[in-house]
Amino acid sequence: MKLPRRTFLHLATGAAALPISRFAWAQTYPAKPITIIVPFAAGGPTDSYARIIGGQMGRILGQTFVTENAVGAGGTTGSTRVMRANPDGYTILMGHIGTHAFSVALYPNLAYKPDTDFAPIGTVIETHNFVVARKDFPAGDLKEFIAYVKANAEKLNMAHAGVGSNSYGIGLMFNSLLGVRPTIVPFNGTAPATTALLGGQIDYMMGSISDFGAHIQSGAVKVYAYGAAERSPVLPNVPTSEEAGLPEFEASSWWALFAPKGTPQAILDRLTDALDGALDDPDLRKRFFDLGGDIPDKPKRGQRPLAALVKSEIARWTPILKAANANTQ
Ligand code: MLT
C-alpha cells in the first residue's frame, strides 16, 4: 500500500519517538475497558457527564468505558490517583474547574500540579451555577435572600462537595461577595448535598441543572439566581444574577478529561478524537443541553485549548479564592 507522503512522515515520526513495543501497543489501543475516575459521589454532575461522554466515546472506540467513583478532599483524592496511575490510556480522569484550578489556591500542599502533571484530552462541557435554598427558606427573591443571609449567617449553613470542589469555590466566592460566614458543610459530591438540601438540613448551596433542574421545576427547592449573562434556555423563569441584583456573581464551570502525564501521544490523540466525535453526536448534544450544559465549540476542544484553559483558570481563580478565603475565615 502506498501511503500519502504526509501520512507516512507522520507515522514515521511517531514511530521514531516511541520504542517499538509502545508503538505497537498504541496501534492496538484500546484493547480493554477504559476507566474514567470520577472524583465525586455517584449521581452528581461529574458522574453524569462522565457516564454520558464515556458511553459515546466507547461506541466510537469500540470499547467499554467504566466509571469509578474515587471520592474525597473536593475531588483531589481521585485526581491524585489518576496522576499516579499507569500512563497507558486505561485510567483517565473527569476533572473540572475545581480539581484543576480552585485546588491550587485552596491546597498549599496539593499532591499534583494541575497544569503539568496531567496530559489534557479535552474539555467536555461548560455550565453555569444556580443559587438555591431549601424550599421553606424565608426569602422570595435574591435581594431578600441576601438580606436574610447577611442578618442570619451564623445560624445558616451552606453545603458543598468538599474543599476544592466547584460548589465550594463558587460558594466561597458568593459568600465573599456578601461578606458572610455561614457554617459550611462538606459532602463527597453534590448528589448527597442535594439530598440534605431537599431534607431541609442544608440552607443553601450552589450547583447546576444536573443537580437541581427537576427539583427547581417541582418546587422542591427555591432558586434565586443563575450566574450567567443570559437566562438558561432550560429554566427560562430563573433570573440571571444581574437581573436579580448581584451582577458580580458570574459563575461558570467546566469539566474535562485528563490522562496521566506520560501517556503516549498516539493514545491521547485517539481519546481526543473520540471525545471530539462524541461531542458532535446529536443525541449526546441533546442530553448535555437538557442538563444545562454548553458543548465547547471546535476551537475550544482538544488538548492544547484545555492546557491553555487550565493555566488561565489557575491564574484567574487563585487570587479570587485566596481573597475570598481570607474574607470568610
Ligand atoms: C462539584 O461541586 O465540584 C461537583 O458538582 C461535585 C459532583 O460532581 O458531585
Side-chain angles (χ1 to χ4, degrees), residues 218-239:
S218 72
V221 298
K222 275 191 174 164
V223 61
Y224 293 107
Y226 181 52
E230 309 279 331
R231 290 188 178 208
S232 161
V234 182
L235 292 171
N237 294 333
V238 179

Side-chain angles (χ1 to χ4, degrees), residues 40-41 44-47 96 161 164-168 188-191 206 211 255:
F40 294 101
T46 314
D47 186 65
H96 70 357
S165 63
N166 173 62
S167 43
Y168 180 86
N188 276 331
T190 44
M206 314 288 137
D211 293 301
W255 275 255

Side-chain angles (χ1 to χ4, degrees), residues 108-124:
N109 297 317
L110 190 63
Y112 57 87
K113 290 197 168 54
D115 53 343
T116 54
D117 285 346
F118 293 85
I121 295 169
T123 304
V124 173

Side-chain angles (χ1 to χ4, degrees), residues 299-310:
K300 288 165 93 182
R301 294 190 198 171
Q303 297 160 22
R304 283 185 184 204
L306 176 55
L309 178 70
V310 169

Side-chain angles (χ1 to χ4, degrees), residues 86-282:
N86 196 358
D88 59 3
Y90 290 103
T91 307
I92 61 175
L93 173 73
M94 179 60 94
H96 70 357
I97 188 172
T99 60
H100 279 66
F102 295 170
S103 56
V104 173
L106 301 169
Y107 288 94
N109 297 317
L110 190 63
Y112 57 87
K113 290 197 168 54
D115 53 343
T116 54
D117 285 346
F118 293 85
I121 295 169
T123 304
V124 173
I125 188 169
E126 299 157 349
T127 66
H128 289 85
N129 291 270
F130 292 85
V131 181
V132 299
R134 58 182 158 80
K135 74 167 184 228
D136 53 353
F137 199 90
D141 61 21
L142 186 68
K143 285 191 177 138
E144 287 177 20
F145 176 83
I146 290 174
Y148 189 87
V149 172
K150 281 186 170 176
N152 297 283
E154 72 287 355
K155 288 187 254 159
L156 298 174
N157 62 43
M158 181 194 82
H160 62 88
V163 174
S165 63
N166 173 62
S167 43
Y168 180 86
I170 301 296
L172 187 65
M173 188 251 286
F174 181 81
N175 290 338
S176 168
L177 287 173
L178 270 54
V180 296
R181 300 173 190 185
T183 301
I184 54 168
V185 185
F187 290 82
N188 276 331
T190 44
T194 304
T195 304
L197 182 79
L198 291 168
Q201 293 95 38
I202 289 299
D203 294 308
Y204 70 95
M205 63 183 278
M206 314 288 137
S208 61
I209 286 184
S210 173
D211 293 301
F212 315 121
H215 305 308
I216 290 173
Q217 267 158 340
S218 72
V221 298
K222 275 191 174 164
V223 61
Y224 293 107
Y226 181 52
E230 309 279 331
R231 290 188 178 208
S232 161
V234 182
L235 292 171
N237 294 333
V238 179
T240 65
S241 46
E242 180 164 10
E243 290 169 334
L246 191 65
E248 304 87 350
F249 184 67
E250 196 285 318
S252 58
S253 307
W254 48 266
W255 275 255
L257 291 175
F258 297 88
K261 180 177 168 180
T263 304
Q265 189 59 44
I267 287 178
L268 288 174
D269 290 345
R270 292 217 69 196
L271 289 165
T272 297
D273 289 350
L275 173 59
D276 188 51
L279 294 176
D280 286 337
D281 177 75

